[in-house]
Amino acid sequence: MPVCPKCHTHNDEVSRFCKQCGAPFGPQQLELEDDDTLILRLLQGGGGEGVVGSRPARIWLLDPSGQQVERATELGDETAVIGRREDCAIVLPSNTVSRRHAQIRREGGTYHLSDLGSTNGTLLNGEPVIGEEALNDRDEIGVGTFRLIFRTG
């Protein structure tokens, strides 16, 4: 069981980030620490019952520096569209984001990501999304110049 170098919490073998403080560890720890990116902090507050676990799944929007979570959006509906239109569940105001860029769809207890024919494409953990991809806790979604982290409840 890996132990977080930051808070000393025991984590699952497959985890890439600490479940307590969000610090990266394993092979990507060195890569992320070298360029000071993707240092996640857990959000305070907010409980409640949700679809998966004790809370609904959430999307964390990282600030432009990647140092902290700028905002979190709960995924309460069956589908959540990411785009620059004001009626999207997750609005990303940038010309690098299509009006309706990508979609997260809930099916039972699992979530799936798909690109909606966007101009610049959608990335999942640095790889282009082809068709529909299953999301796992702490997956990184790239939409235009934005980085989002998928978190299960």
Side-chain angles (χ1 to χ4, degrees):
M1 244 189 203
V3 176
C4 176
K6 189 173 182 182
C7 72
H8 308 291
T9 299
H10 292 275
N11 290 273
D12 300 327
E13 291 292 331
V14 296
S15 295
R16 299 179 340 175
F17 301 93
C18 177
K19 64 185 176 186
Q20 181 65 33
C21 71
F25 54 85
Q28 65 278 14
Q29 177 183 2
L30 297 175
E31 176 185 323
L32 292 171
E33 286 178 351
D34 287 344
D35 63 3
D36 295 324
T37 59
L38 200 54
I39 300 171
L40 298 177
R41 298 178 187 171
L42 291 177
L43 298 176
Q44 297 294 324
E49 292 303 312
V51 177
V52 179
S54 62
R55 289 187 291 199
R58 294 161 286 155
I59 292 291
W60 289 358
L61 172 63
L62 299 181
D63 72 0
S65 70
Q67 297 296 311
Q68 62 186 1
V69 176
E70 188 171 292
R71 75 172 187 254
T73 303
E74 288 190 353
L75 300 174
D77 297 330
E78 280 190 32
T79 60
V81 175
I82 303 168
R84 72 171 192 258
R85 281 180 37 172
E86 291 297 320
D87 63 343
C88 291
I90 301 168
V91 179
L92 303 175
S94 170
N95 61 1
T96 63
V97 177
S98 295
R99 288 177 184 89
R100 292 177 45 87
H101 196 103
Q103 174 178 281
I104 297 174
R105 182 180 62 83
R106 183 183 75 222
E107 184 177 320
T110 60
Y111 289 83
H112 304 275
L113 174 68
S114 58
D115 184 79
L116 296 176
S118 66
T119 303
N120 295 321
T122 303
L123 301 177
L124 178 59
N125 299 321
E127 297 293 325
V129 173
I130 307 295
E132 191 172 70
E133 303 275 347
L135 288 170
N136 297 303
D137 190 38
R138 297 186 189 262
D139 275 348
E140 181 178 313
I141 302 168
V143 176
T145 58
F146 294 92
R147 291 171 41 211
L148 305 111
I149 305 298
F150 174 78
R151 294 301 319 268
T152 56

